[in-house]
Amino acid sequence: MFEYTLANGVVVSPGKKAHTGDLGVKGEKIVSPGGSAQSAFVKIDLKGKSFIYPSLINTHDHLQGNYRPPVGPKDGNFYLTWLPWDQDLKASKTFAERSNLSREDLYALSGYKCLFSGVTTVNDHFPHQLNCQILPTLPIRAIQEYCLAHESTSYDLKWGDGVEIEHKRAVENNWPFITHLSEGFDSESMHSIEALERINILNDNCLFIHCISLSDEDINKIAKAGASVSWCGFSNMFMFNVTAKVRKMFKAGVNVTIGTDSSATGSANLLAEIKYDRELYQKLYGEDLPAEKIFEMATVNAAKAFRMQDRIGRLEEGMLGDILVLKAKDDNPHENLVNADMKDIELLVLAGQPIYGELHFLDIFKEKLSAQTGLPEGYTQIKVGNKAMFVKGDPAGLYNEVRRKIGFKKVLDYLPFEPVQEGV
């Protein structure tokens, strides 16, 4: 069991004033720091130079699709719906190159895309029969308690057991029902809320992705129903040159979250998406999207959308120890998060277990360290910038295997390190 205290850090949790203090972890859970019961805890002194956040949550990705470069419309053109993009993808050099890799390779890359951007929880928007065996092998938490549809048009991909059955199952199990919605400007996409209303599917279990062609009335209906929206600004602009009416969603009270979409159309990772979306909001509306609001979108709002707000998204006693420690570069903790890069991550924790971090955090593992490697079993060491880091699994070996299979020194911008080359 892990028992440790992150001491003298600035603790930043949604809805609470940031404060310098300690954060205790016992087993999988956050516990109140201090007291004789914690006398045996390992103490890691952050010396007031680090911010402690709940780790980030990505509400929309396709983990099999995170290969680069992105595939989009020809210059000066944009798509009407997602369908021509799918055709362009399958005819692309990116897809041909990606086809040299196994599904396991692609999912493993996606796990590290998440990990190296401070994300410990993500939804893989694919049917369970495609991902149920592989998601538990990832170094981060890809939720399995969800129901889904591809979208609500006649040309959707018919994922799951049908929209009505999947939604009913979600309600019965208190899971999210996740679907693309209004991803385009054809007649069906622009009347997707009406289509769901006709079959009585519009409630707080719903997490809608994209929503670029919703009317003001649609937005008000979503707000009234308590449904959530995953905003994927980069992917929307890249494919359609327009994005969701997020300012109207905020004003209506919609629970808005942030998703990356896959890297085949989206940003490199969630840290990049956060920066892009803030800049996009400024360009669209001529006003700032406050850093604190973005922080909430990537933590507590996302936890609510996943119906996991009792477990993740906040740093409070009894919550899972999902923790992100960042170097303090800005006095404002929310600006510090929004402006963070991959190299600023000092520690990432999933349910109490460190999965990535600077070497001095290895003290948390105590007797679990190998005498031969100095690392816990199942961990390796990489160098990010000028810092040596431990990481769960072997992303360097994965990177080299990807390069071997495709036959050249591929660079993936969501992997912030260069592995020792092995015959490439």
Side-chain angles (χ1 to χ4, degrees):
M1 176 185 291
F2 290 98
E3 296 181 338
Y4 58 93
T5 298
L6 300 175
N8 299 316
V10 180
V11 181
V12 190
S13 190
K16 294 191 174 183
K17 186 176 180 179
H19 65 280
T20 300
D22 300 348
L23 188 76
V25 175
K26 184 174 183 178
E28 295 186 344
K29 302 287 186 69
I30 293 171
V31 296
S32 295
S36 59
Q38 291 196 26
S39 59
F41 278 33
V42 173
K43 184 176 180 179
I44 307 293
D45 189 355
L46 301 179
K47 301 178 181 179
K49 297 180 180 179
S50 303
F51 287 109
I52 308 172
Y53 307 90
S55 57
L56 305 181
I57 304 170
N58 182 353
T59 50
H60 184 61
D61 205 335
H62 298 280
L63 299 187
Q64 189 170 303
N66 284 315
Y67 199 72
R68 306 289 268 176
V71 174
K74 294 179 175 63
D75 289 344
N77 294 283
F78 296 96
Y79 297 122
L80 184 65
T81 72
W82 65 272
L83 190 56
W85 168 80
D86 188 62
Q87 295 163 350
D88 285 350
L89 172 69
K90 290 172 181 172
S92 70
K93 180 181 177 181
T94 296
F95 189 82
E97 196 176 288
R98 191 184 93 177
S99 298
N100 291 298
L101 306 179
S102 68
R103 178 176 292 171
E104 289 75 14
D105 293 332
L106 293 167
Y107 269 85
L109 287 172
S110 295
Y112 287 111
K113 166 189 166 177
C114 292
L115 182 150
F116 290 124
S117 62
V119 170
T120 57
T121 304
V122 65
N123 175 243
D124 174 37
H125 196 214
F126 277 121
H128 292 281
Q129 60 265 35
L130 296 181
N131 65 20
C132 65
Q133 298 298 316
I134 199 166
L135 295 185
T137 69
L138 302 182
I140 48 87
R141 177 190 301 113
I143 65 169
Q144 298 192 67
E145 296 177 341
Y146 68 94
C147 297
L148 87 165
H150 176 252
E151 61 173 26
S152 62
T153 60
S154 61
Y155 50 86
D156 84 304
L157 296 177
K158 311 300 180 187
W159 289 350
D161 295 324
V163 175
E164 291 169 284
I165 293 173
E166 291 283 328
H167 181 263
K168 180 181 178 182
R169 185 179 295 142
V171 172
E172 290 173 346
N173 288 282
N174 192 32
W175 293 349
F177 169 74
I178 305 174
T179 182
H180 296 121
L181 195 77
S182 294
E183 190 185 7
F185 293 95
D186 64 303
S187 178
E188 287 190 76
S189 294
M190 295 179 71
H191 293 88
S192 52
I193 288 292
E194 296 168 32
L196 292 179
E197 284 183 310
R198 283 195 292 270
I199 53 177
N200 197 31
I201 295 176
L202 184 58
N203 72 339
D204 62 2
N205 291 84
C206 296
L207 170 55
F208 297 135
I209 316 300
H210 300 308
C211 299
I212 62 175
S213 58
L214 294 183
S215 68
D216 293 358
E217 182 181 1
D218 292 335
I219 290 170
N220 288 329
K221 287 178 178 178
I222 287 176
K224 185 177 180 180
S228 300
V229 169
S230 180
W231 181 28
C232 306
F234 187 102
S235 179
N236 296 163
M237 297 302 292
F238 181 69
M239 293 177 66
F240 303 104
N241 198 35
V242 70
T243 192
K245 300 172 183 175
V246 287
R247 185 167 67 166
K248 288 185 175 180
M249 291 180 181
F250 294 149
K251 290 182 177 179
V254 174
N255 184 53
V256 181
T257 70
I258 298 178
T260 58
D261 212 348
S262 80
S263 297
T265 61
S267 49
N269 58 30
L270 193 61
L271 291 178
E273 183 72 30
I274 284 170
K275 294 181 186 68
Y276 179 87
D277 288 349
R278 192 183 199 189
E279 293 173 1
L280 177 60
Y281 192 92
Q282 176 68 42
K283 290 178 182 178
L284 292 174
Y285 303 115
E287 62 187 54
D288 185 41
L289 179 56
E292 185 171 1
K293 190 169 189 67
I294 298 171
F295 169 58
E296 291 170 351
M297 292 164 69
T299 54
V300 68
N301 288 16
K304 180 180 179 181
F306 283 165
R307 306 183 79 78
M308 297 176 69
Q309 64 267 42
D310 60 333
R311 286 163 278 172
I312 62 175
R314 292 174 287 129
L315 299 178
E316 296 180 8
E317 186 173 8
M319 303 288 281
L320 288 175
D322 288 6
I323 301 164
L324 171 64
V325 179
L326 291 179
K327 179 181 179 180
K329 299 193 302 181
D330 193 302
D331 291 340
N332 183 306
H334 303 112
E335 293 288 349
N336 192 72
L337 173 69
V338 169
N339 294 313
D341 296 314
M342 290 184 283
K343 66 180 181 298
D344 297 321
I345 297 176
E346 297 180 337
L347 178 69
L348 185 65
V349 178
L350 173 64
Q353 180 178 356
I355 57 175
Y356 176 56
E358 296 178 357
L359 297 186
H360 65 94
F361 288 103
L362 285 172
D363 289 346
I364 293 171
F365 289 92
K366 294 188 291 187
E367 70 279 359
K368 298 181 178 70
L369 299 180
S370 164
Q372 286 73 36
T373 66
L375 299 169
E377 183 179 356
Y379 286 71
T380 55
Q381 184 173 316
I382 58 173
K383 192 172 185 179
V384 176
N386 60 0
K387 293 191 300 184
M389 307 288 286
F390 68 86
V391 60
K392 188 174 182 181
D394 184 13
L398 172 67
Y399 210 171
N400 279 323
E401 180 67 5
V402 166
R403 289 172 168 181
R404 185 189 68 79
K405 287 182 176 180
I406 64 174
F408 67 95
K409 188 179 176 180
K410 181 72 175 182
V411 175
L412 294 165
D413 52 1
Y414 51 75
L415 299 180
F417 64 94
E418 180 60 33
V420 175
Q421 297 300 293
E422 297 176 354
V424 176

